[in-house]
Amino acid sequence: MNLYKLLENPTCYRLVVRLFSMGGRAGKIAGFVDELMARECRGRVLEVGSGTSQFRPIFLKYVNNYVATDINFQYVHYAKNDFNTLQYAVCDAAFLPFMSLMFDRAFCLYLFHHLSDQQTVNTLKEMQRCLKPDGKIIIVDLFQPEKRWDLISQLVAYLDRGQYVRRRNLMISLIKESGNFEVEAHHGVPGEWPYVMSSFVLSQNSDTYR
């Protein structure tokens, strides 16, 4: 039996998330995401790769015009049944079914370690297409540990379901390849260990739309 296949079931996925959130990790990570959203949630918000919409309560603290997307129909169906007054879409992150210049902010929370380098570039370009000129992309994700002696983090990154847990410097290179962004990076998310997490806020340079 493929254990990763079980995680495509939303109930199993949520159970595993709870198990890996023990020891106060969930509260610390949620607190970090909350602070990030308090600063960046504005106007019409898109979440790409929303999964079962576990961060939806935090989004709704700051905006009520929130759209969630994921490629997994079961995840979206689960999220919609749980809270059906929002807009949901089943779609590939690189082919978003929205008009250009539609959103003020686009969030990707723990998506890109599931996407190849080319898929990451394509997704960032597609998100940028959907953003207004002053829009931003906000990313939180898992990365390879930079300390070689941190063997537990190395092992966790290797065993993660995401096949593309990459180094931070590679992620920054992919961001630069995908568009003309100013990048604000934050490393060391509270509660991250045994994972290694970072956030990136991508602002579009003024000449992007010239």
Side-chain angles (χ1 to χ4, degrees):
M1 178 184 294
N2 187 340
L3 295 178
Y4 293 142
K5 194 73 176 176
L6 289 175
L7 295 178
E8 295 182 11
N9 179 286
T11 303
C12 292
Y13 173 77
R14 292 296 285 265
L15 176 60
V16 170
V17 167
R18 290 192 184 98
L19 289 174
F20 275 84
S21 299
M22 296 174 66
R25 290 186 66 244
K28 292 177 182 177
I29 294 172
F32 172 81
V33 173
D34 195 326
E35 289 180 8
L36 190 59
M37 290 186 185
R39 181 160 54 95
E40 298 297 344
C41 270
R42 298 288 185 278
R44 193 167 197 183
V45 173
L46 171 68
E47 184 183 8
V48 178
S50 58
T52 58
S53 294
Q54 69 187 85
F55 293 105
R56 180 178 55 206
I58 306 178
F59 278 110
L60 294 179
K61 286 176 62 176
Y62 303 106
V63 294
N64 55 20
N65 199 349
Y66 159 68
V67 180
T69 74
D70 199 272
I71 199 170
N72 186 321
F73 171 81
Q74 292 185 74
Y75 284 178
V76 174
H77 183 69
Y78 177 94
K80 190 172 183 179
N81 280 347
D82 186 47
F83 197 104
N84 63 8
T85 61
L86 300 174
Q87 182 179 348
Y88 301 86
V90 178
C91 62
D92 188 317
F95 300 96
L96 299 172
F98 307 111
M99 296 174 59
S100 299
L101 310 178
M102 188 172 176
F103 295 95
D104 298 280
R105 298 288 187 271
F107 282 77
C108 275
L109 305 177
Y110 306 103
L111 169 66
F112 287 119
H113 70 288
H114 294 285
L115 304 184
S116 69
D117 291 352
Q118 189 58 57
Q119 288 173 322
T120 295
V121 170
N122 293 344
T123 296
L124 287 168
K125 288 181 177 179
E126 182 69 349
M127 293 167 71
Q128 186 178 26
R129 178 189 67 79
C130 294
L131 283 177
K132 297 176 183 178
D134 59 348
K136 295 182 182 180
I137 297 172
I138 296 89
I139 299 166
V140 181
D141 218 319
L142 313 179
F143 294 93
Q144 288 282 354
E146 296 175 356
K147 299 174 182 176
R148 295 191 176 185
W149 52 262
D150 192 351
L151 299 180
I152 294 178
S153 293
Q154 297 276 5
L155 178 63
V156 168
Y158 175 77
L159 293 176
D160 191 89
R161 181 170 56 137
Q163 299 180 36
Y164 303 98
V165 181
R166 53 180 62 87
R167 293 192 178 277
R168 294 182 181 115
N169 58 358
L170 176 54
M171 185 66 197
I172 292 174
S173 296
L174 297 175
I175 290 170
K176 291 180 178 179
E177 181 181 344
S178 66
N180 189 16
F181 294 108
E182 294 179 1
V183 182
E184 175 191 339
H186 175 89
H187 305 312
V189 174
E192 63 177 356
W193 196 85
Y195 289 96
V196 172
M197 301 181 189
S198 293
S199 68
F200 299 91
V201 177
L202 315 185
S203 303
Q204 301 173 102
N205 285 333
S206 57
D207 60 351
T208 299
Y209 288 88
R210 290 178 184 172

